[in-house]
Amino acid sequence: MGSIQSRQAAMAFRNASARPACRNCKHGQQAYVDRMPPYDRAGWECTKGGFKVSAMAICDKHELKGHREEVR
């Protein structure tokens, strides 16, 4: 059967933090609701689209945060 790592590699397994989502997109940003406590909680917004999102949401325009495009 192999080691856990070799079985994960064979399936192209990725941890939840490595999967594409708004939380690791360069256009996703944490936004705080401007209200008095206890309602002043953080949410997420898409700076490219200009709308609220959830941290686990995803779209076709996802760009990994910190990833540079190759210049040719």
Side-chain angles (χ1 to χ4, degrees), residues 15-60:
N15 290 321
S17 61
R19 288 185 215 120
C22 289
R23 74 187 180 311
N24 63 6
C25 177
K26 77 178 194 177
H27 304 294
Q29 115 181 351
Q30 198 170 27
Y32 290 89
V33 178
D34 189 21
R35 292 188 262 173
M36 294 294 289
Y39 306 108
D40 58 342
R41 58 192 178 114
W44 285 89
E45 65 182 13
C46 176
T47 59
K48 187 170 189 140
F51 50 85
K52 302 245 182 266
V53 296
S54 69
M56 294 301 292
I58 185 69
C59 75
D60 289 342

